[in-house]
Amino acid sequence: MRVLFVCTTGGSGRRQLGGAERFLIEMLPALAQQGVDVVAATPDDEVAASLRESGVRWIALGADRRIDLSYARDIRRLVDELRPDVVSAHLLSAAMHVRAGLGVAGRRTPLVVALHNSLWQYREAAESLRQKAAVQANITADLVLRRLRPHATVAVSGFEAEELRMRGRVENVHIITNPLPAKWPRVDDRRSLSPSSPVRVGYLGRIEKEKGADLLSEIASALPDAEFLIAGSGSTPVSNLPNVRLLGRVDSAAFLQEVDCLLVPSRVEAFGRSALEAMSLGVPVVHSGVGGLPEVTRRGDGSLAYQAELTPGAMAAAIERATSSPVSLEQRRRVAREYAEEFSFARCVQSWRELYQSVGYETK
């Protein structure tokens, strides 16, 4: 089976290394090892470099603007040349251009689309009418193209699936949750889960307002005796406080094993991968409860997960509860092991492989 993966990483005109990009970096080599003939069509960036290093066949392809007709035509030519059994499009830009490129004439080519987020959630989090209108335009275009070119859709959580089914009236939605990384330590490898002194609070992800990064300075100010370690990059400024350290990009596993609590104050979150990674290592998570976060953290409520209102005071109070909880360390280890089993990388690879096989078979 040959699967063509198409993704303009980060969208047209910008680059990022988020959940969808990490999916490509980890999942494509794993599928290739299972006998899938994988071809990746992405811009020449970190994702491409990693895929080439892994031996995955890679072709330079990406959008230069929000609506790029040449990108759609190039996708169509590539499909005609490679004749893949399935085309798998990731993120909105690739999804829209693949659907336009295949059009009506390409209906016989099975298509799977994964947006990796909820457009309606972004619309609700937008601050201005202009921003809301821009997101609404994306929603409208996405729904129109879905009806012109039907396909299977993958949602990363029940929350995202419900948004698609109820708000978009989208059919043929499959839920395949994000997994833990392919190479990931076990909670039992950690020497101790006891909080350090001073308490170390971590933030891991894009430093953007949609992820609640604008609240980090105020939360840190409310807990002057705690040390805040901010890992990631983005455009939202974080105050230069005595108890705040900006680390840039880090190795997620090593970072999480050094913190006593992970803060996830997101306004937009379809899944919550950093929360999953933390809990699988026995690290308590304080989160905003938006989107897919309650779904992901439910198993750890009261032991590894603490939901709070999205205000600096409420988040600070939840951090204090999480790092002084009387929950036994063995209970936290037990819950962490359950997360590691449920969200194993191998299980996710198998789910995607089976979906591609079923979608490809249906058109034979």
Side-chain angles (χ1 to χ4, degrees):
M1 164 172 281
R2 173 174 292 170
V3 181
L4 171 63
F5 291 84
V6 182
C7 181
T8 290
T9 49
S12 61
R14 63 187 175 92
R15 294 292 172 260
Q16 67 181 39
L17 192 64
E21 290 78 17
R22 291 171 68 184
F23 169 90
L24 297 172
I25 288 172
E26 297 173 347
M27 191 65 63
L28 270 58
L31 288 168
Q33 290 173 5
Q34 290 204 2
V36 178
D37 183 2
V38 172
V39 183
T42 75
D44 192 358
D45 56 12
E46 283 183 83
V47 173
S50 179
L51 293 177
R52 290 196 298 266
E53 185 178 346
S54 300
V56 170
R57 183 180 177 186
W58 170 81
I59 297 170
L61 195 64
D64 293 327
R65 59 191 70 87
R66 183 172 175 271
I67 299 175
D68 189 339
L69 296 181
S70 64
Y71 180 42
R73 288 192 294 267
D74 288 342
I75 291 171
R76 180 53 197 253
R77 281 196 292 267
L78 188 58
V79 170
D80 289 342
E81 174 189 338
L82 297 176
R83 296 190 179 278
D85 297 292
V86 179
V87 176
S88 185
H90 295 265
L91 296 176
L92 180 64
S93 178
M96 294 176 69
H97 285 92
V98 167
R99 289 181 294 213
L102 293 180
V104 176
R107 281 177 181 264
R108 290 186 59 82
T109 301
L111 173 61
V112 177
V113 166
L115 296 183
H116 296 271
N117 56 56
S118 163
L119 296 176
W120 290 277
Q121 196 180 32
Y122 274 92
R123 184 184 65 186
E124 291 167 359
E127 295 185 282
S128 68
L129 291 176
R130 183 176 181 179
Q131 290 173 333
K132 288 182 185 294
V135 179
Q136 182 58 51
N138 285 336
I139 292 172
T140 301
D142 179 63
L143 294 179
V144 168
L145 286 171
R146 285 180 184 275
R147 282 148 180 75
L148 291 176
R149 210 306 182 175
H151 54 74
T153 297
V154 172
V156 297
S157 64
F159 162 76
E160 186 189 353
E162 188 72 4
E163 292 271 275
L164 288 164
R165 290 168 180 153
M166 299 303 295
R167 295 197 183 202
R169 300 293 188 266
V170 176
E171 299 179 348
N172 197 11
V173 179
H174 306 258
I175 301 174
I176 303 180
T177 58
N178 289 326
L180 289 165
K183 296 180 180 179
W184 195 247
R186 301 175 305 166
V187 65
D188 297 309
D189 296 332
R190 293 192 61 184
R191 288 172 293 181
S192 174
L193 299 182
S194 300
S196 59
S197 182
V199 167
R200 293 186 293 257
V201 180
Y203 174 91
L204 177 63
R206 290 187 289 117
I207 305 177
E208 302 289 352
K209 192 166 185 179
E210 68 196 42
K211 297 298 184 180
D214 56 305
L215 301 176
L216 293 175
S217 299
E218 291 184 74
I219 297 171
S221 295
L223 296 172
D225 294 331
E227 183 178 8
F228 282 75
L229 307 179
I230 313 300
S233 60
S235 61
T236 299
V238 179
S239 298
N240 184 22
L241 300 173
N243 63 334
V244 173
R245 289 170 54 197
L246 300 176
L247 305 179
R249 287 185 178 174
V250 298
D251 177 83
S252 299
F255 174 79
L256 290 171
Q257 291 183 92
E258 293 299 322
V259 300
D260 303 307
C261 173
L262 182 72
L263 180 60
V264 186
S266 300
R267 294 182 174 89
V268 173
E269 201 71 72
F271 181 76
R273 183 163 175 165
S274 63
L276 166 63
E277 291 175 349
M279 292 185 295
S280 76
L281 295 175
V283 178
V285 172
V286 169
H287 65 94
S288 59
V290 304
L293 281 169
E295 182 181 340
V296 174
T297 60
R298 187 175 299 118
R299 184 189 296 272
D301 282 346
S303 61
L304 285 175
Y306 299 82
Q307 183 173 331
E309 291 184 12
L310 198 52
T311 64
M315 287 281 159
I319 290 171
E320 291 183 317
R321 290 198 304 274
T323 54
S324 61
S325 171
V327 176
S328 70
L329 300 184
E330 183 50 44
Q331 181 179 348
R332 284 183 169 172
R333 279 197 171 92
R334 176 181 58 77
V335 175
R337 294 186 199 107
E338 292 173 356
Y339 272 109
E341 179 179 355
E342 180 180 354
F343 294 93
S344 73
F345 183 77
R347 179 178 294 186
C348 185
V349 172
Q350 187 62 25
S351 295
W352 276 98
R353 187 170 184 269
E354 290 174 354
L355 175 63
Y356 292 138
Q357 288 175 330
S358 66
V359 169
Y361 178 79
E362 288 172 359
T363 62
K364 300 300 184 182

